[in-house]
Amino acid sequence: METFKSHLDKFITISDEEFTSIFSFFQILEVKKKENLMLEGDVCKFKYFVLKGCLRKFFLNEKGVEQTTEFAIENWWISDTFAFEKQAKSDFNIQSVEHSTILAIDFHSQELLLQKHPVMERYFRMVYQTAYAAAEKRIRYLYEMTKEEYYIHFNTLYPWFTQRIPQYLLASFLGLTPEYLSEIRAKLRS
C-alpha cells in the first residue's frame, strides 16, 4: 500500500483519507512466475500496477515466436491500453516474469475512481505522457541504432534491468535473437 502511495505522491497531492478511498478501487493480486494475466484474444479487463516483481506484454509473431513489447517492474503500469479503453479483445498476452504482487483495476472501477477522485485523471494523464514519450524514444532508437548500439545504450541506461531480466526475454524486447545477444555480450566482455 505504501509503495503505491509514494508513487502517487510523485504526481499528485492527496490526503491519507483520499488515498484510502483511491486504494479501495483496486484488487491486490499475488501471481506466480510465468502466470498468464491476459491472453491474446481475451477482452482486456484490467490495468496492472506492479508493487513487487515484473510483468511483460508480448505477442506471437507470424513465425510463432514470442515478441516482448513491454516490461513492467515496481511502480510501472502495464495493460493493452487500446483494448482496455475500448473494452475490446487484445492482440497481446500479459505474463509474470517473476513472482509478483500487483494491483489490478477493471474498467468499471476505473471509471468510478475517476468520478470520485478527479485528481486521478491528472495522475493517469501524466503517467500516459511519460509512457508515450518513452515509446517515442524507443522507436527512434530502433531506427537509428544498430542492434549492438541499442543493447549498449539500453544496458547503460538500465544495467540493473539487464541483470534482472532473463536473457531470452531481454533479447525478445530488443529485437534480437538470444544467440546474437550472447555474441554481443561476449564481444563486450573481451
Side-chain angles (χ1 to χ4, degrees):
M1 213 166 109
E2 199 52 44
T3 302
F4 190 48
K5 173 71 164 85
S6 297
H7 174 74
L8 291 177
D9 287 343
K10 293 177 185 174
F11 298 92
I12 56 175
T13 303
I14 54 173
S15 68
D16 289 344
E17 187 178 300
E18 286 174 301
F19 175 73
T20 301
S21 175
I22 288 167
F23 196 77
S24 72
F25 287 89
F26 292 86
Q27 301 171 45
I28 300 175
L29 304 175
E30 293 286 330
V31 291
K32 296 176 184 162
K33 183 177 180 177
K34 294 195 176 188
E35 186 173 331
N36 292 314
L37 296 166
M38 183 181 75
L39 296 173
E40 184 176 343
D42 290 351
V43 171
C44 183
K45 296 180 182 172
F46 296 96
K47 274 183 179 171
Y48 302 104
F49 180 83
V50 180
L51 295 170
K52 182 176 181 283
C54 180
L55 306 179
R56 74 177 179 123
K57 182 166 68 173
F58 68 97
F59 66 93
L60 294 178
N61 69 18
E62 66 281 350
K63 295 177 184 174
V65 176
E66 291 180 1
Q67 182 64 59
T68 300
T69 59
E70 189 178 339
F71 288 103
I73 58 171
E74 290 81 7
N75 296 316
W76 292 6
W77 287 92
I78 195 165
S79 186
D80 178 343
T81 304
F82 181 82
F84 179 79
E85 297 301 333
K86 300 291 182 193
Q87 286 298 277
K89 291 182 180 179
S90 178
D91 294 326
F92 296 94
N93 303 280
I94 296 178
Q95 182 183 70
S96 60
V97 176
E98 304 168 349
H99 176 86
S100 302
T101 306
I102 60 176
L103 296 179
I105 189 166
D106 64 66
F107 183 78
H108 179 70
S109 295
Q110 178 183 266
E111 291 301 302
L112 294 174
L113 168 68
L114 297 176
Q115 286 173 14
K116 186 169 182 178
H117 298 282
V119 70
M120 290 300 288
E121 291 268 7
R122 175 178 166 75
Y123 164 76
F124 281 117
R125 177 182 54 81
M126 294 173 81
V127 167
Y128 280 139
Q129 286 173 333
T130 303
Y132 187 75
E136 286 180 317
K137 281 185 178 182
R138 181 168 181 234
I139 291 167
R140 182 169 180 162
Y141 298 152
L142 288 170
Y143 283 107
E144 287 186 343
M145 296 179 177
T146 66
K147 300 288 188 185
E148 187 173 326
E149 290 170 335
Y150 188 39
Y151 170 74
I152 292 168
H153 175 76
F154 188 82
N155 191 43
T156 302
L157 287 177
Y158 309 105
W160 45 269
F161 199 82
T162 57
Q163 298 303 314
R164 181 176 181 180
I165 302 298
Q167 183 170 308
Y168 76 100
L169 293 179
L170 184 60
S172 172
F173 177 72
L174 296 173
L176 310 169
T177 63
E179 297 78 18
Y180 187 55
L181 181 55
S182 290
E183 287 177 29
I184 292 171
R185 285 179 160 179
K187 181 179 170 184
L188 294 172
R189 280 192 298 266
S190 60

